[in-house]
Amino acid sequence: MGKSRARLFRRAPRAPAGPAHQRPGERGPEEEAAAELLEKLQHPSAEVREFACASISRLLQQQHVIPAFVQRDVVRCLGPLLMDPSLAVRETAAGALRNLSACGGFDVCDDMVTNDIMTPLVALLKECSTGLDANQLSPKKCRGMNKNYIEDIANEAINLLWNICECNNTALYIFNKEGCLEAVLHYMKKFATNVDLAISVANCLQAVTEDNPDLLSLFNASAQQILEAVLLCPESSMKHILLRTLIAGTIWNIKDTIPPGSLGSTVNAILKIFSESLAIDAGETIIHMNEAENNRLKLAVEAGTEENMSDATENCVLGEDDNMEEIPKGELRRENDISDLLPSDKWELKEVTALLTAQQTALEIIVNMCCNEDPSDDEWEELSSSDESDLFMENSYNEGSGLLLSPLCLSDEVNSAFLNNLIPKKILEKTAFPNSVALDICMHNPSWKPLIKKLNAVQCRALTCLQSILLVSDVDCLGGASALQSLAQHLSQLIFSKTELPTDTEFLEAVTSALRALLQTMASKNIPQCMTPEQLLALCEAGIQSSNACVRVNVVSILGISGSVLAKEQDTAETLKMIGKFLLEVAMKESSLVVAGEALDALFDVFADGKEAEEAALQIKLLPTLKEFQPVFRMRIRKEGKGHYSTDQLCVLDNVKMNLRRFIAYQETLGKTPT
């Protein structure tokens, strides 16, 4: 099967839950609340409108409530308030629409565009951009400082724009047509004084520049200078690391606009940013930041300032004397849209969250870089001749961080320095299980507990990144045979280090994908494999029970690769029998035709040649079993194929069907050959 170039790690659509069960015609509590609050949006008092927006914003964080608001045209009710005379109303309205877009999923975002949310949103973005330098402050205090309404409104609006453009192509078309890029880039100029706004802008830019060729012509020299200024920012906070990582991803998306003479240095700058992010030990950072938080809270108690530890006004929409309901922060609804949704007194937690998001983002971008087309001859020549290539190579190697994509992007001279490295060191480190002390801290601290999911996500992304690099690199660039064997041992330890085999679907898919790519590389170069047959069968027996078809495909393929290697060795007939029986059972009983086809492919590889394979095939009655199964498989493809599988999958299945016929014919010739 060929590699897909489809972008990875996109958000899955979130279908909002339906309302609670009720009798026909009866209005439930959600409908009552929606009707009452939407009516208040038309109230002549700005404070009442603000209160209604804040209340709607809170409710929209609960997915089961969303349909009640959507059915009452919440978008058309809130949309005009983006241009309300009251700045506080604008901000809370934008926040409510942001929550709707983040929690409602693709269908709700489509509905928002259909109901013309882009018209007031674009107007708001342009007006805020124009007034960005006016320094329009509110007399109300937020965290001891005057509140800048323009920047805070812009932050909510940018997040709303990001969510919608990521989900809807029409919104992206409007973004291009209305010249929103100029306004968005203007916000980025505030990165030195408002890093939260800059991170929101960077997230939005990365989304709108992905697979959007119509936007590339608008990235002129001035626009690129703004992005370059962010990359060169010397600030070392985790938020700034996240900001630089996101901008590096944006620059990769628009690499076709970069002059040929600057491409090499640009790629190296991107890689340096990723190395900087991945070099930080997230587990140690969690331990350090948690200790810092505990010390801060202890000092606050001793100083008698417990009131400063209470929940902060997240959006500072209302003053202390307003006696109105504020917007509490609910469960986060998207993986990357997080930092500015954490409580304001949790700055240590926000820093750790920013670091983990940066590392996850860096790894995801590297995977996409590996999936890109091979460089053209001109690109190879230019990348090889860059004066900065050797400088960055030297710095990265000395720091132990490794040049992440050396096989893809740099010259043979640079690659040669990595022959003794297994693969990029920092990526490999991220494939390990998270720090147990850090996990214990997160497990026993409710505010920090969501970090566990992000720690695991970083590990899975690193394994996927490892798989991608294995697929595009040659053995010498990976460090040679001994390095690959060490890597195989490392992956085996990840799988077999605990008493029970892992069951987490995301991890199991990532680790089996990496192991599959590694074993295929080793087999193609005749490098001995170090997993025992017992380990392989244990992994396959566990993996084939997974609900994830990709996991099942991986374990079947792993067994086929290992079996084909064993078939060339002596005294392996018994092991081949076990492998053959397992693969036959999968082929005949598997519900997914794709997995069944992979099992047949694996059988073809294992029993293609060799005396040990011939002996095992006779003992498990491989030929008569396949002859009996052949019409069944053909019938399944005819009945189940169309409408259930993609065109590419059907082409693969057709090839498997043809190869099954040929393999049966081949096995029949073996039976006629004199012994």
Side-chain angles (χ1 to χ4, degrees), residues 557-600:
S557 178
I558 287 170
L559 200 55
I561 295 165
S562 301
S564 65
V565 173
L566 290 172
K568 300 173 184 176
E569 300 176 3
Q570 298 294 322
D571 301 322
T572 58
E574 287 301 315
T575 302
L576 294 177
K577 281 171 56 180
M578 291 189 292
I579 292 174
K581 288 179 180 178
F582 181 89
L583 292 174
L584 276 175
E585 184 173 4
V586 172
M588 292 186 293
K589 295 183 178 180
E590 170 61 47
S591 60
S592 167
L593 276 174
V594 172
V595 181
E598 190 70 38
L600 288 171

Side-chain angles (χ1 to χ4, degrees), residues 46-89:
E47 288 189 344
V48 173
R49 296 197 302 276
E50 181 185 355
F51 166 75
C53 288
S55 300
I56 291 171
S57 182
R58 180 198 61 197
L59 290 173
L60 288 175
Q61 295 183 50
Q62 306 171 51
Q63 285 187 325
H64 71 277
V65 174
I66 291 176
F69 281 94
V70 172
Q71 290 164 12
R72 284 167 174 75
D73 288 331
V74 63
V75 176
R76 293 193 181 276
C77 294
L78 284 171
L81 297 186
L82 293 178
M83 301 301 293
D84 193 273
S86 165
L87 295 180
V89 173

Side-chain angles (χ1 to χ4, degrees), residues 175-434:
F175 181 96
N176 297 343
K177 180 183 176 183
E178 295 295 329
C180 295
L181 179 64
E182 182 180 357
V184 170
L185 285 172
H186 190 56
Y187 296 132
M188 182 58 76
K189 294 178 182 179
K190 290 289 184 179
F191 74 90
T193 57
N194 191 337
V195 67
D196 289 328
L197 174 60
I199 288 172
S200 297
V201 172
N203 273 309
C204 183
L205 283 174
Q206 193 183 17
V208 299
T209 55
E210 190 173 34
D211 299 325
N212 186 6
D214 294 339
L215 191 63
L216 297 184
S217 61
L218 301 179
F219 274 94
N220 52 28
S222 175
Q224 293 179 12
Q225 286 173 1
I226 295 174
L227 301 182
E228 182 180 353
V230 178
L231 284 188
L232 297 176
C233 171
E235 296 290 338
S236 59
S237 76
M238 302 307 166
K239 284 187 177 182
H240 284 88
I241 289 174
L242 171 58
L243 175 61
R244 288 193 290 271
T245 301
L246 291 166
I247 292 299
T250 298
I251 293 174
W252 174 255
N253 288 344
I254 65 167
K255 63 185 179 300
D256 291 343
T257 69
I258 298 171
S262 304
L263 186 58
S265 59
T266 300
V267 169
N268 287 320
I270 291 173
L271 296 175
K272 187 174 182 179
I273 295 299
F274 294 161
S275 291
E276 172 193 30
S277 168
L278 295 173
I280 301 172
D281 188 320
E284 291 298 324
T285 303
I286 288 175
I287 296 170
H288 171 72
M289 286 295 180
N290 182 255
E291 182 180 358
E293 181 186 68
N294 291 336
N295 290 337
R296 175 175 59 81
L297 297 178
K298 182 179 179 181
L299 289 173
V301 171
E302 292 174 352
T305 59
E306 292 90 336
E307 65 273 16
N308 293 331
M309 298 158 51
S310 63
D311 290 339
T313 49
E314 303 298 326
N315 294 312
C316 300
V317 172
L318 307 173
E320 293 179 356
D321 300 326
D322 284 303
N323 195 29
M324 288 187 179
E325 184 177 1
E326 298 173 7
I327 306 174
K329 293 303 166 185
E331 181 180 350
L332 305 179
R333 300 299 181 183
R334 58 182 295 159
E335 291 183 273
N336 296 324
D337 186 14
I338 49 179
S339 294
D340 62 332
L341 294 181
L342 292 171
S344 58
D345 61 339
K346 295 286 186 181
W347 70 266
E348 299 92 350
L349 177 56
K350 294 178 80 170
E351 283 287 283
V352 178
T353 301
L355 171 62
L356 290 173
T357 304
Q359 293 183 342
Q360 179 177 333
T361 301
L363 292 166
E364 291 173 359
I365 296 169
I366 293 168
V367 170
N368 289 342
M369 294 172 81
C370 290
C371 293
N372 220 54
E373 299 97 342
D374 294 332
S376 66
D377 292 340
D378 291 342
E379 287 173 325
W380 274 106
E381 181 178 355
E382 193 281 315
L383 288 167
S384 301
S385 63
S386 170
D387 292 336
E388 293 189 30
S389 296
D390 292 336
L391 174 63
F392 177 59
M393 160 57 206
E394 182 178 345
N395 291 340
S396 298
Y397 186 77
N398 290 340
E399 295 168 2
S401 58
L403 198 54
L404 300 183
L405 293 182
S406 53
L408 284 179
C409 302
L410 298 176
S411 65
D412 291 338
E413 291 81 3
V414 175
N415 283 334
S416 64
F418 287 89
L419 292 178
N420 294 326
N421 281 357
L422 174 55
I423 52 171
K425 181 181 178 181
K426 296 307 172 186
I427 295 176
L428 183 60
E429 289 177 352
K430 300 305 174 192
T431 65
F433 286 116

Side-chain angles (χ1 to χ4, degrees), residues 2-17:
K3 290 183 292 181
S4 171
R5 291 198 61 251
R7 297 293 184 181
L8 304 181
F9 310 122
R10 285 192 183 277
R11 288 192 306 173
R14 292 176 172 84

Side-chain angles (χ1 to χ4, degrees), residues 1 470-471 475 484 512-527 529 557-558 560-562 564-565 568 598 605:
M1 295 177 67
L470 286 165
L471 291 173
V475 173
L484 293 182
T512 55
S513 295
L515 183 60
R516 176 184 181 181
L518 175 62
L519 294 180
Q520 184 63 61
T521 299
M522 295 174 71
S524 67
K525 300 298 181 180
N526 295 318
I527 299 172
Q529 302 182 18
S557 178
I558 287 170
I561 295 165
S562 301
S564 65
V565 173
K568 300 173 184 176
E598 190 70 38
D605 291 339

